[in-house]
C-alpha cells in the first residue's frame, strides 16, 4: 500500500512540476523593469523568453516577439533550449508513468516491467527538474550581472539614466516547478524499489530417474510398467532357475533359503 501511495504522490507532484514548467516558459515576466529609482512612470517594461512587452499607464499593453534567433545572446538561447528539453522529458515521463502505475493493470504486465518503467519515468522527471532549475538560474545570473553593470554605469555618469531589470514572477514559478519535478522523480525512484519482486533464495533440485526403471527411457526401448521381477543370473546354491508350478507360475526362492 505504501508503494502505491508513494508512486501516486510522485506522479501528482511531477505533473504539477511539469505544468509549472510549461507555464513558466510561456510567461512574459522573466525580467521586469526596476522601479526603485523611478516609482512613478508612464511606461512599464517586462520581457520573456519569446517576446518583450510594454504596458502604459492607461492599461494598454503592446508585445513584440523576437523575430531573430542569431541576434539573441548565446546564454539566452541556452535557457530556451533547457526549458524545452525539460518540458519534453517531463511529458514523456508522464506518459511512461501512467502505464507504470500499480493501480492500473494493463494486460498481463508483470511487476518487474512496471518497476523498470517507474524507474525510467523517475529519471526523466529528475533530469527535467534539473534542466528547469539550471535554465532559470542561468537567466537569473544574467539579470544580476546586467543589473550591477547598469548600476555602476549610472553612478559613473549621473546624467545617463539606464533601464535596469530585476527578477520577474516567471523565475520563481520556474524554480518551484523544477523543484517539484525533482522531488516527484525521487519519489518515483523510491517506489521502484518496492515494485521489484523478491528473488527466491531456494535452489532448485533436479531428480533423475533410476537407470533400472525402463519406463522412463525413450527411443526404441520397450516401455514397461516397472514392476516386472528381475531375473537372477548368478550361479550358486539357491540361485537355480525356479521350477514351474502346476498352475504354470514360477516360484522364486525366499530370502530364508540363502541362510
Amino acid at each position: 500500500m505504501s508503494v502505491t501511495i508513494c508512486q501516486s504522490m510522485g506522479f501528482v507532484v511531477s505533473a504539477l512540476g511539469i505544468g509549472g514548467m510549461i507555464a513558466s516558459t510561456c510567461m512574459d515576466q522573466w525580467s521586469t523593469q526596476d522601479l526603485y529609482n523611478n516609482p512613478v512612470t508612464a511606461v512599464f517594461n517586462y520581457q520573456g523568453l519569446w517576446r518583450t512587452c510594454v504596458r502604459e499607464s492607461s492599461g494598454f499593453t503592446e508585445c513584440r516577439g523576437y523575430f531573430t534567433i542569431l541576434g539573441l545572446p548565446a546564454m539566452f538561447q541556452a535557457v530556451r533550449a533547457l526549458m524545452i528539453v525539460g518540458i519534453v522529458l517531463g511529458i514523456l515521463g508522464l506518459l511512461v508513468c501512467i502505464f507504470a502505475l500499480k493501480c492500473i493493470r494493463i494486460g498481463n504486465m508483470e511487476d518487474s516491467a512496471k518497476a523498470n518503467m517507474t524507474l525510467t519515468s523517475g529519471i526523466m522527471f529528475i533530469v527535467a527538474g534539473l534542466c528547469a532549475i539550471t535554465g532559470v538560474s542561468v537567466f537569473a545570473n544574467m539579470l544580476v550581472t546586467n543589473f550591477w553593470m547598469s548600476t555602476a554605469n549610472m553612478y559613473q555618469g549621473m546624467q545617463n539614466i539606464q533601464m535596469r531589470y530585476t527578477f520577474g514572477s516567471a523565475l520563481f514559478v520556474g524554480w518551484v516547478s523544477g523543484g517539484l519535478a525533482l522531488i516527484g522523480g525521487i519519489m518515483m525512484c523510491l517506489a521502484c524499489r518496492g515494485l521489484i519482486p523478491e528473488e527466491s533464495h531456494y535452489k532448485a533440485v533436479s531428480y533423475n530417474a533410476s537407470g533400472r526403471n525402463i519406463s522412463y527411457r525413450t527411443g526404441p526401448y520397450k516401455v514397461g510398467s516397472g514392476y516386472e521381477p528381475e531375473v537372477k543370473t548368478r550361479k550358486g546354491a539357491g540361485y537355480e532357475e525356479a521350477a514351474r508350478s502346476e498352475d504354470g507360475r514360477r516360484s522364486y526362492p525366499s530370502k530364508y533359503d540363502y541362510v
Side-chain angles (χ1 to χ4, degrees):
M1 187 64 180
S2 59
V3 176
T4 305
I5 295 176
C6 183
Q7 190 182 37
S8 302
M9 289 299 296
F11 173 75
V12 173
V13 173
S14 300
L16 292 177
I18 302 304
M21 291 168 57
I22 297 174
S24 174
T25 306
C26 298
M27 291 175 65
D28 296 326
Q29 291 82 14
W30 278 71
S31 59
T32 58
Q33 182 180 353
D34 183 28
L35 301 178
Y36 179 76
N37 293 330
N38 190 14
V40 180
T41 179
V43 179
F44 179 72
N45 298 278
Y46 54 93
Q47 299 176 353
L49 294 179
W50 312 104
R51 60 182 182 174
T52 177
C53 300
V54 177
R55 186 178 63 200
E56 299 180 357
S57 58
S58 60
F60 179 76
T61 302
E62 182 180 359
C63 296
R64 182 180 181 183
Y66 303 123
F67 299 105
T68 179
I69 298 178
L70 299 178
L72 297 175
M75 299 301 294
F76 192 86
Q77 298 181 16
V79 173
R80 279 182 170 183
L82 286 172
M83 296 303 295
I84 292 175
V85 170
I87 292 174
V88 172
L89 287 177
I91 293 176
L92 292 178
L94 289 177
L95 294 178
V96 175
C97 185
I98 290 175
F99 295 101
L101 291 176
K102 192 175 182 180
C103 57
I104 299 178
R105 178 65 62 180
I106 301 176
N108 296 326
M109 185 178 296
E110 300 179 355
D111 291 339
S112 59
K114 284 184 174 290
N116 295 331
M117 296 175 67
T118 302
L119 180 61
T120 303
S121 62
I123 294 175
M124 287 184 176
F125 291 146
I126 292 175
V127 176
L130 292 177
C131 288
I133 294 175
T134 304
V136 175
S137 300
V138 169
F139 194 90
N141 183 58
M142 294 171 53
L143 285 179
V144 171
T145 304
N146 294 332
F147 181 87
W148 290 114
M149 290 179 61
S150 301
T151 303
N153 293 333
M154 288 174 60
Y155 282 107
Q156 288 178 3
M158 301 302 295
Q159 295 180 355
N160 297 329
I161 300 177
Q162 296 184 0
M163 188 180 301
R164 300 183 303 181
Y165 288 91
T166 184
F167 293 171
S169 56
L171 295 180
F172 301 100
V173 175
W175 274 318
V176 173
S177 59
L180 289 176
L182 184 62
I183 294 174
I186 295 175
M187 295 178 66
M188 295 298 292
C189 293
L190 293 177
C192 170
R193 299 183 59 185
L195 293 175
I196 299 177
E198 297 182 357
E199 299 181 356
S200 178
H201 298 284
Y202 298 98
K203 296 182 179 179
V205 180
S206 59
Y207 296 92
N208 298 325
S210 176
R212 294 184 179 181
N213 194 345
I214 62 175
S215 62
Y216 291 95
R217 297 179 181 178
T218 59
Y221 298 98
K222 182 179 178 181
V223 179
S225 61
Y227 293 98
E228 290 82 5
E230 185 178 359
V231 179
K232 305 293 183 178
T233 57
R234 295 180 56 184
K235 296 181 180 181
Y239 285 94
E240 293 79 11
E241 184 177 0
R244 294 181 176 274
S245 58
E246 295 179 359
D247 55 356
R249 297 182 180 178
R250 293 177 179 272
S251 59
Y252 297 93
S254 63
K255 62 182 181 179
Y256 300 100
D257 297 337
Y258 304 143
V259 179

